[in-house]
Amino acid sequence: MLRFWRGGGWRSLSWAEFALQVADVAAGLRARGVCPGDRVMLVAENRPEFLVADTAIMAIGAVSVPAYTTNTVADHAHLLRDSGARCAIVSTTRLAQAVAEAAGLGGLDLLISMEDGAGTVSWAELTAVQGDRRCWWPRWSTSPPGGWPASSTPRAPAARPRA
């Protein structure tokens, strides 16, 4: 699905690996009380975890509130106030500190950092709750001839006419 630079070399992430990571992040968010309709602020540079988090947020029916990593504390405070976000996912310790400061006391129920040691829930802790992988793997690894019937998934692709 994508390639990214990490640890001095190029790494790959397949569609199946992506789906499993999304399932785990979605399960971690649900286990920590994020519900459909909740707003989740997402502050991260371009990295695989951004795509995983954004997709997991949508998968549980929550709403992504993307923010620039270059925002000031006042900018973050404005976004938190206007969106009603009670959860934030950030990429770095510096961003975790800025968003925590913007939230003030009691402004966020949950602050997740993709880096360890930020004094928040870490990405590793979030993904420790494994999602129900049985519902993701078969559907995304194989499909029957002609695709999935419309009744098996709410977003089934249109059937292709047979030649």
Side-chain angles (χ1 to χ4, degrees):
M1 179 190 163
L2 59 92
R3 290 176 42 91
F4 57 98
W5 186 265
R6 182 139 323 141
W10 286 101
R11 312 279 171 139
S12 295
L13 187 66
S14 72
W15 283 100
E17 292 165 330
F18 176 78
L20 295 176
Q21 288 183 24
V22 167
D24 291 346
V25 171
L29 290 170
R30 289 294 290 136
R32 285 168 176 76
V34 179
C35 297
D38 286 350
R39 274 50 173 176
V40 179
M41 182 183 240
L42 186 53
V43 190
E45 62 283 335
N46 187 5
R47 61 193 293 170
E49 294 86 356
F50 181 95
L51 296 173
V52 169
D54 193 34
T55 305
I57 290 164
M58 290 185 283
I60 62 173
V63 179
S64 291
V65 178
Y68 292 114
T69 58
T70 55
N71 279 356
T72 65
V73 170
D75 293 334
H76 288 309
H78 173 77
L79 283 171
L80 287 169
R81 250 189 337 270
D82 279 9
S83 70
R86 304 293 299 163
C87 173
I89 301 174
V90 300
S91 59
T92 65
T93 302
R94 181 187 61 80
L95 290 170
Q97 292 167 345
V99 170
E101 185 180 338
L105 294 175
L108 281 174
D109 295 330
L110 181 61
L111 179 58
I112 300 159
S113 177
M114 295 174 188
E115 287 183 356
D116 292 337
T120 61
V121 173
S122 72
W123 191 254
E125 291 169 319
L126 180 70
T127 58
V129 179
Q130 288 192 344
D132 184 0
R133 294 173 170 207
R134 292 171 299 163
C135 70
W136 294 81
W137 183 258
R139 183 167 290 160
W140 290 2
S141 62
T142 60
S143 63
W148 292 97
S151 62
S152 69
T153 180
R155 294 191 180 123
R160 293 183 227 162
R162 295 188 182 244

